Amino acid sequence: QVQLVESGGGLVQAGGSLRLSCAASGRTFSDYAMGWFRQAPGKEREFVAGITRSGGRTYYTDSVKGRFTISRDNAKNTVYLQMNSLKPEDTAVYYCAARYGSFMYTGYDYWDHGTQVTVSS
């Protein structure tokens, strides 16, 4: 089992920044690709960003490219999502997730409980 604990959500004005952190425990963190997902009210959960086990490659959905940055620190068992130039349409519950092995857009094994990010206009 992998336990994921997320922090860093909140309320921010449009154009502002937030950084989400997700701390993992229970298994070897570097064995897992990590992803960030979000779910807005009335919408399905969507992929936001992903990172390979080593951190050498990252992936983003088009709507956040150039604004969001995913990174990881395997020594601290933590993955981050730096969110800049936030827009009201970024408002959602954000989830981090762990996938054993190679990065994929789907097939994540473990999820945290999510944190609310609200961007006011």
Side-chain angles (χ1 to χ4, degrees):
Q1 289 283 349
V2 174
Q3 292 77 44
L4 301 171
V5 178
E6 187 178 345
S7 60
L11 173 64
V12 65
Q13 289 188 331
S17 298
L18 282 174
R19 189 176 82 154
L20 303 181
S21 300
C22 179
S25 62
R27 293 285 174 89
T28 303
F29 183 62
S30 58
D31 285 344
Y32 291 81
M34 299 297 295
W36 288 96
F37 296 76
R38 66 187 180 187
Q39 186 167 19
K43 295 187 177 181
E44 293 189 353
R45 187 163 57 191
E46 64 171 347
F47 170 83
V48 176
I51 190 166
T52 57
R53 288 169 290 178
S54 68
R57 297 190 69 174
T58 58
Y59 304 83
Y60 299 93
T61 191
D62 286 346
S63 62
V64 308
K65 285 180 181 177
R67 300 189 298 121
F68 290 12
T69 302
I70 186 172
S71 61
R72 66 189 295 163
D73 185 338
N74 284 348
K76 295 182 177 180
N77 294 346
T78 302
V79 62
Y80 306 95
L81 185 67
Q82 178 67 43
M83 304 184 292
N84 298 329
S85 302
L86 282 160
K87 304 176 180 180
E89 51 263 43
D90 295 317
T91 295
V93 177
Y94 283 71
Y95 300 88
C96 75
R99 186 186 188 282
Y100 184 78
S102 301
F103 168 80
M104 296 286 283
Y105 289 94
T106 60
Y108 283 74
D109 305 296
Y110 303 100
W111 297 79
D112 82 313
H113 294 295
T115 191
Q116 178 70 44
V117 171
T118 302
V119 184
S120 62
S121 57

